[in-house]
Amino acid sequence: MNSFDGDTTEPGAEPEPDRFLLPVADGERVTVMLAAFEGWNDAGEAASDSLRYLNKLWGGKKVASIDADEYYDFQFTRPTVRRNAAGERKIKWPSTRIYKASAPNSNVDVIFVQGTEPSYKWRAYTAELLVHAEALKVDYVVLVGALLADVPHSRPIPVSTSSDDAPLRERLNLEASQYEGPVGIVGVLSEVSLLAGIPTVSLWAAVPHYVAQAPSPKAQLALLHRIEELLQVPLDTHELAEESDAWERGVDELATEDPEIAAYVRQLEEAKDTADLPEASGESIAREFERYLKRRGQDRP
């Protein structure tokens, strides 16, 4: 097991693959691009909400944007009217915004890409994003998505982690994605980033399809925990954890009101519990304990 206090590998044993993204020397800064897009890749808005949460937590500053007129069909992705703090009506256009932040007490700089999946010119759009990535000296790309799946709301939300970059996949002990079929802008950006030579990881949270509406704080929290592990940066998610608990209690209440839904949820729970039995091992416990130690060390004066 990896430890924050040092290597605990027994003499003569094979070292365990590093499951963290950033094996760098002390003092060396690393820049990671985190990207999520509203729309087809964003069930329950869990992916985009997770990056908004993190961007706000770390005080990200806007450094660039991509011209909306080039890439969006406004009859499909319509602008919205909002009122500002002064009560004035303003039109908010679909866009892609790029922010930069530094993770506190770490050597990690983060570039947040937040926007709506474009309607047109996906090749040109992703190429423009990579121009910004090069200018901002991005070392890694982490793509964040969420999909609807047959999973129970009452169990931990699964987050799959994959990479098509062979060296990174071996180091993080990951699998290559086996998905075949239609892709969204996240899939296109993954391929283009790899072609540009930037190691790329994809995270996908599985959102229960029977509670697909936004927000989905439990899936959002699961994605943030995985980002926390990849970046080795402790996150303050107490407020979101409370929202997640309240969301789960609310879904419990709704399920009990419909016998068919309640029976379906029990069926999903049984299937999930059976599938997870081999994973109820020291590895999952060790990962949670390491996260606890990291946070405790961060909170000490």
Side-chain angles (χ1 to χ4, degrees):
M1 136 183 179
N2 291 328
S3 170
F4 294 109
D5 297 324
D7 185 9
T8 59
T9 305
E10 295 180 4
E14 287 294 326
E16 181 180 304
D18 191 347
R19 59 174 174 263
F20 301 119
L21 185 63
L22 311 172
V24 294
D26 290 342
E28 180 182 351
R29 298 204 67 80
V30 175
T31 302
V32 179
M33 176 178 278
L34 286 170
F37 301 88
E38 298 173 21
W40 194 71
N41 311 272
D42 193 22
E45 298 182 6
S48 56
D49 280 347
S50 67
L51 294 202
R52 274 191 286 268
Y53 184 95
L54 203 51
N55 191 19
K56 182 179 179 180
L57 181 68
W58 288 344
K61 304 298 182 184
K62 186 176 177 181
V63 294
S65 61
I66 293 181
D67 184 13
D69 287 345
E70 287 291 318
Y71 301 111
Y72 293 98
D73 177 351
F74 297 128
Q75 288 186 323
F76 178 74
T77 308
R78 290 185 177 272
T80 56
V81 174
R82 302 282 177 85
R83 291 190 181 275
N84 61 19
E88 300 170 332
R89 286 161 53 90
K90 296 290 184 181
I91 293 180
K92 181 181 178 182
W93 295 89
S95 64
T96 300
R97 300 162 303 284
I98 302 173
Y99 300 85
K100 184 175 182 179
S102 294
N105 304 311
S106 79
N107 61 345
V108 180
D109 295 322
V110 178
I111 306 300
F112 293 101
V113 177
Q114 298 173 242
T116 304
E117 184 177 66
S119 309
Y120 306 122
K121 302 179 181 178
W122 283 16
R123 291 190 182 100
Y125 176 85
T126 51
E128 188 169 343
L129 277 177
L130 287 183
V131 169
H132 288 293
E134 182 179 2
L136 294 165
K137 303 185 184 304
V138 168
D139 298 297
Y140 296 90
V141 172
V142 177
L143 299 167
V144 185
L147 52 87
L148 298 179
D150 292 326
V151 295
H153 72 279
S154 52
R155 298 294 185 267
I157 295 293
V159 176
S160 64
T161 309
S162 63
S163 176
D164 290 323
D165 181 86
L168 188 62
R169 189 168 64 241
E170 181 177 356
R171 177 161 58 79
L172 298 180
N173 195 26
L174 301 177
E175 298 291 335
S177 174
Q178 302 301 312
Y179 173 76
E180 294 182 297
V183 297
I185 194 64
V186 168
V188 175
L189 182 56
S190 175
E191 181 176 275
V192 174
S193 299
L194 286 168
L195 289 174
I198 306 177
T200 302
V201 174
S202 295
L203 310 180
W204 286 89
V207 175
H209 70 88
Y210 53 91
V211 279
Q213 66 275 18
S216 187
K218 191 169 182 177
Q220 183 184 343
L221 186 62
L223 285 167
L224 287 172
H225 280 327
R226 191 63 183 114
I227 292 170
E228 182 180 41
E229 291 175 352
L230 284 173
L231 302 188
Q232 305 180 65
V233 175
L235 302 179
D236 180 2
T237 55
H238 294 91
E239 182 179 341
L240 185 58
E242 292 178 358
E243 293 178 17
S244 174
D245 291 341
W247 175 86
E248 185 171 336
R249 289 194 299 270
V251 179
D252 285 341
E253 292 174 3
L254 290 174
T256 57
E257 295 173 1
D258 188 326
E260 291 186 5
I261 291 294
Y264 178 63
V265 171
R266 285 194 298 272
Q267 179 183 340
L268 291 176
E269 289 172 340
E270 292 171 1
K272 177 66 175 171
D273 292 344
T274 301
D276 283 351
L277 280 176
E279 298 179 9
S281 63
E283 176 63 21
S284 59
I285 297 171
R287 179 174 296 189
E288 185 61 33
F289 185 61
E290 286 175 354
R291 185 185 295 127
Y292 162 75
L293 290 176
K294 186 74 170 181
R295 286 183 181 140
R296 188 179 68 174
Q298 188 75 19
D299 292 339
R300 285 176 176 169

